């Protein structure tokens, strides 16, 4: 019954912001498509499956205009784009003198998004945020090669981003909170930031960032992340620890919008998400929660060194910043993208 009475949009300042009203109530984007940017490393079968999902299964009919692969394997020639598909693209088939494809094959290929491999100059997590030439849209969907967002959920995320293009719109909400803020204010101690996952986000009903393992953002933030205005100490820390580039992007966007007079709080997209790397990624390690908390604290010191405030000070209501709205609208109706978000209980009492 709940699905029968679902709708999409936010209620801000007593104003109903939905996909159809966003252009008149907010500074919305006019983009009609978006680019999927897949971060991958030495997982060819996982990558192939990801490309087929986003470029073929979803493709143009769900707004995916282009798919880019971030190829960071140094000294390894990336595969030909056509090798990721069971049938070559129409232009490739034609160039090889192939006979006319069947109607079903032609329909499949006409829906296929353009695929481009981006070879990066170094093996670095920062490389996923390098500016991209020949983008056809200002909208980017960043995703890891082991995450599959259902096509309808993906399109709903794009609609949410179009309404609020200056913010991050994603499927993995997180909460970063200062531990013992009284000690920071009264005793002048350094900020100790604690990283919280879905269980805390849900029960406190607050969040202030979304992960770039599956999120929409504006292409302008790639330039901001990569240029000299973004402290090199942050990028060096990420290279040294092979972690936290997503946290760094969230902090950058929050800092940029805070300092430009219009804080752009993140939006959570409740959808259907499959995480195929649950039992093998860096987020499953025993020290992951401590690593993330330490990262937040270290990056905060860098921000303060440069004269900026901690950018994630304000957290927002999960209900008010959720694009999917349930009827009758109880807080507990909001769900995670997949059930495996629930067991992540580290730092739950911090």
């Amino acid at each position: 019954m709940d699905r029968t009475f679902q709708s999409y949009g936010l209620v801000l300042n007593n104003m109903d912001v939905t996909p159809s009203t966003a252009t008149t109530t907010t500074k919305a984007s006019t983009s009609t498509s978006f680019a999927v940017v897949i971060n991958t490393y030495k997982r060819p079968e996982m990558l192939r499956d990801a490309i087929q999902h986003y470029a073929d299964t979803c493709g143009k009919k769900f707004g995916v205009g282009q798919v880019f692969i971030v190829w960071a394997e140094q000294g390894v020639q990336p595969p030909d784009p056509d090798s990721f598909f069971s049938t070559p693209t129409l232009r490739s088939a034609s160039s090889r003198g192939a006979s006319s494809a069947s109607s079903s094959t032609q329909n499949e290929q006409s829906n296929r998004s353009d695929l481009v491999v981006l070879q990066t100059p170094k093996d670095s997590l920062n490389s996923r945020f390098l500016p991209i030439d020949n983008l056809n849209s200002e909208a980017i969907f960043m995703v890891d090669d082991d995450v599959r967002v259902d096509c309808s959920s993906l399109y709903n995320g794009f609609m949410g981003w179009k309404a609020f293009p200056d913010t991050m719109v994603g499927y993995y909400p997180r909460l970063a909170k200062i531990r013992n803020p009284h000690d920071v204010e009264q005793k002048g101690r350094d900020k100790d930031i604690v990283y919280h996952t879905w269980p805390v986000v849900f029960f406190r009903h607050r969040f202030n960032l979304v992960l770039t393992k599956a999120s929409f953002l504006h292409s302008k933030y790639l330039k901001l992340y990569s240029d000299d205005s973004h402290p090199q100490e942050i990028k060096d820390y990420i290279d040294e620890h092979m972690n936290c580039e997503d946290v760094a992007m969230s902090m950058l966007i929050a800092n940029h919008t805070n300092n430009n007079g219009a804080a752009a709080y993140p939006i959570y997209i409740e959808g259907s998400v499959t995480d195929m790397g649950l039992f093998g990624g860096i987020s499953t390690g025993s020290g992951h929660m401590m690593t993330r908390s330490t990262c937040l604290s270290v990056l905060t010191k860098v921000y303060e060194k440069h004269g900026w405030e901690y950018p994630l000070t304000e957290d927002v209501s999960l209900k008010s910043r959720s694009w999917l709205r349930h009827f009758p609208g109880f807080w507990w109706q909001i769900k995670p993208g997949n059930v495996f978000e629930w067991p992540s209980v580290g730092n739950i009492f911090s």
Side-chain angles (χ1 to χ4, degrees):
M1 178 178 178
D2 180 54
R3 289 188 177 275
T4 305
F5 295 98
Q6 289 177 347
S7 61
Y8 298 93
L10 304 182
V11 178
L12 302 177
N13 300 321
N14 296 318
M15 187 175 293
D16 192 25
V17 183
T18 66
S20 60
T21 64
T23 55
T24 59
T25 57
T26 65
K27 189 177 180 180
S29 169
T30 58
S31 295
T32 57
S33 66
F34 58 94
V36 173
V37 179
I38 303 174
N39 191 52
T40 187
Y41 193 74
K42 293 186 177 181
R43 297 196 289 193
E45 292 306 315
M46 192 80 77
L47 174 61
R48 179 184 175 87
D49 185 80
I51 291 170
Q52 291 181 355
H53 174 72
Y54 291 110
D56 259 354
T57 304
C58 298
K60 295 177 182 177
K61 64 185 176 184
F62 286 96
V64 183
Q66 297 170 291
V67 175
F68 293 91
I69 306 166
V70 180
W71 187 269
E73 289 188 55
Q74 302 302 295
V76 177
Q77 185 68 22
D80 182 273
D82 277 344
S83 68
F84 292 106
F85 303 106
S86 56
T87 58
T89 59
L90 287 172
R91 61 180 180 274
S92 297
S94 176
S95 66
R96 295 168 189 167
S99 59
S100 298
S102 67
S103 176
S104 60
T105 300
Q106 288 180 341
N107 289 336
E108 173 188 337
Q109 294 179 352
S110 66
N111 180 59
R112 180 176 297 166
S113 309
D114 296 333
L115 178 63
V116 179
V117 180
L118 304 172
Q119 288 188 269
T120 65
K122 62 181 294 189
D123 178 9
S124 168
L125 288 175
N126 293 305
S127 296
R128 73 184 305 178
F129 299 135
L130 289 173
I132 299 172
D133 294 330
N134 301 317
L135 272 174
N136 294 335
S137 171
E138 59 189 7
I140 290 177
F141 177 64
M142 283 283 173
V143 67
D144 289 353
D145 63 3
D146 53 9
V147 176
R148 307 288 179 270
V149 178
D150 169 81
C151 297
S152 295
S153 300
L154 184 67
Y155 186 74
N156 289 332
F158 178 47
M159 291 295 100
W161 178 87
K162 282 189 65 173
F164 300 93
D166 285 334
T167 194
M168 290 182 69
V169 176
Y171 303 80
Y172 289 90
R174 297 294 185 258
L175 178 65
K177 292 292 289 183
I178 300 174
R179 193 198 311 265
N180 301 323
H182 176 79
D183 288 348
V184 174
E185 295 178 6
Q186 301 297 324
K187 301 179 182 179
R189 294 180 178 174
D190 289 336
K191 293 181 179 67
D192 182 13
I193 316 297
V194 183
Y195 176 80
H196 295 293
T197 51
W198 174 260
V200 172
V201 167
F202 178 78
F203 287 110
R204 294 189 188 180
H205 223 62
R206 313 290 295 181
F207 75 113
N208 53 10
L209 61 98
V210 293
L211 302 184
T212 56
K213 68 187 294 181
S215 70
F216 286 89
L217 62 139
H218 198 290
S219 60
K220 65 185 178 183
Y221 294 127
L222 301 184
K223 184 177 186 303
L224 284 175
Y225 187 99
S226 301
D227 70 19
D228 293 339
S229 65
H230 189 216
Q232 186 61 41
E233 303 101 298
I234 291 178
K235 289 174 273 193
D236 289 343
Y237 181 90
I238 290 164
D239 281 340
E240 179 182 353
H241 296 272
M242 295 297 290
N243 205 324
C244 294
E245 84 287 354
D246 51 353
V247 169
M249 178 58 86
S250 288
M251 294 178 73
L252 177 147
I253 293 175
N255 185 60
H256 174 76
T257 57
N258 289 346
N259 291 332
N260 282 277
Y265 303 117
I267 294 174
Y268 169 53
I269 304 297
E270 180 185 329
S272 177
V273 182
T274 301
D275 194 334
M276 304 172 71
L278 281 169
F279 305 105
I282 61 174
S283 63
T284 60
S286 59
H288 176 66
M289 301 294 280
M290 182 178 294
T291 298
R292 303 287 276 182
S293 296
T294 300
C295 168
L296 280 159
S297 300
V298 170
L299 267 55
T300 297
K301 290 181 182 178
V302 176
Y303 267 72
E304 292 175 339
K305 174 184 173 182
H306 285 263
W308 300 321
E309 297 293 329
Y310 170 57
L312 301 176
T313 300
E314 292 191 53
D315 49 73
V316 293
S317 163
L318 183 62
K319 178 181 175 181
S320 68
R321 301 295 292 185
S322 289
W323 189 246
L324 174 63
R325 298 188 297 188
H326 297 272
F327 178 83
F330 297 118
W331 68 272
W332 43 261
Q333 289 179 284
I334 300 176
K335 306 176 185 67
N338 65 72
V339 296
F340 292 103
E341 282 275 81
W342 284 110
S344 180
V345 294
N347 292 337
I348 195 168
F349 298 112
S350 299

